[in-house]
Amino acid sequence: VQLQASGGGLVQAGGSLRVSCAASGMTFSRYAMAWYRQAPGEQRELIATISSGGATDYKHFVKGRFTISRDNAKNTVYLQMDSLNPEDTAVYYCNAGNLRGRYYYPDYWGQGTQVTVSS
């Protein structure tokens, strides 16, 4: 299984960015997918999930600003990030896993993509 994240970069506060994660070596449509992030000196944290059927869930600190989506034909999951602020600066990781109720269980990790938001 390979998860290749891309699309990170430097953006000004208030701006937008979309990161993508292309999957291979797996039956993508059968997996729930998630985005995590890890800021310097912090633990990696879950920010958004999308079920195999397309149902989404978000942590409160990104709800209304970030949108997770998936394209099963392209084996790709996306994270659209709007109204970015410097606290969103982190390495963003995609993950393939399983949802049981509201709990997400991670299986496979991508390599991460850096997002830096300047003030």
Side-chain angles (χ1 to χ4, degrees):
V1 174
Q2 285 194 330
L3 298 172
Q4 184 72 40
S6 61
L10 175 65
V11 62
Q12 287 189 332
S16 298
L17 203 61
R18 188 178 80 158
V19 291
S20 304
C21 176
S24 60
M26 57 183 278
T27 305
F28 180 78
S29 61
R30 293 183 181 177
Y31 281 84
M33 300 296 295
W35 285 97
Y36 289 71
R37 70 184 185 188
Q38 187 169 19
E42 302 290 334
Q43 288 190 333
R44 192 173 299 188
E45 60 182 358
L46 176 65
I47 57 176
T49 62
I50 185 165
S51 72
S52 57
T56 59
D57 195 17
Y58 301 90
K59 294 300 184 183
H60 66 91
F61 48 83
V62 301
K63 201 167 189 176
R65 300 189 299 124
F66 290 11
T67 303
I68 188 172
S69 62
R70 66 190 296 159
D71 186 337
N72 288 343
K74 295 182 178 179
N75 288 354
T76 300
V77 62
Y78 305 96
L79 185 68
Q80 175 68 40
M81 302 180 285
D82 299 317
S83 301
L84 285 161
N85 59 62
E87 290 70 37
D88 295 317
T89 295
V91 178
Y92 284 71
Y93 298 89
C94 63
N95 183 276
N98 294 279
L99 272 169
R100 299 189 191 107
R102 292 196 66 185
Y103 293 96
Y104 182 80
Y105 296 87
D107 283 339
Y108 304 107
W109 291 98
Q111 87 288 4
T113 185
Q114 176 71 46
V115 173
T116 303
V117 185
S118 63
S119 56

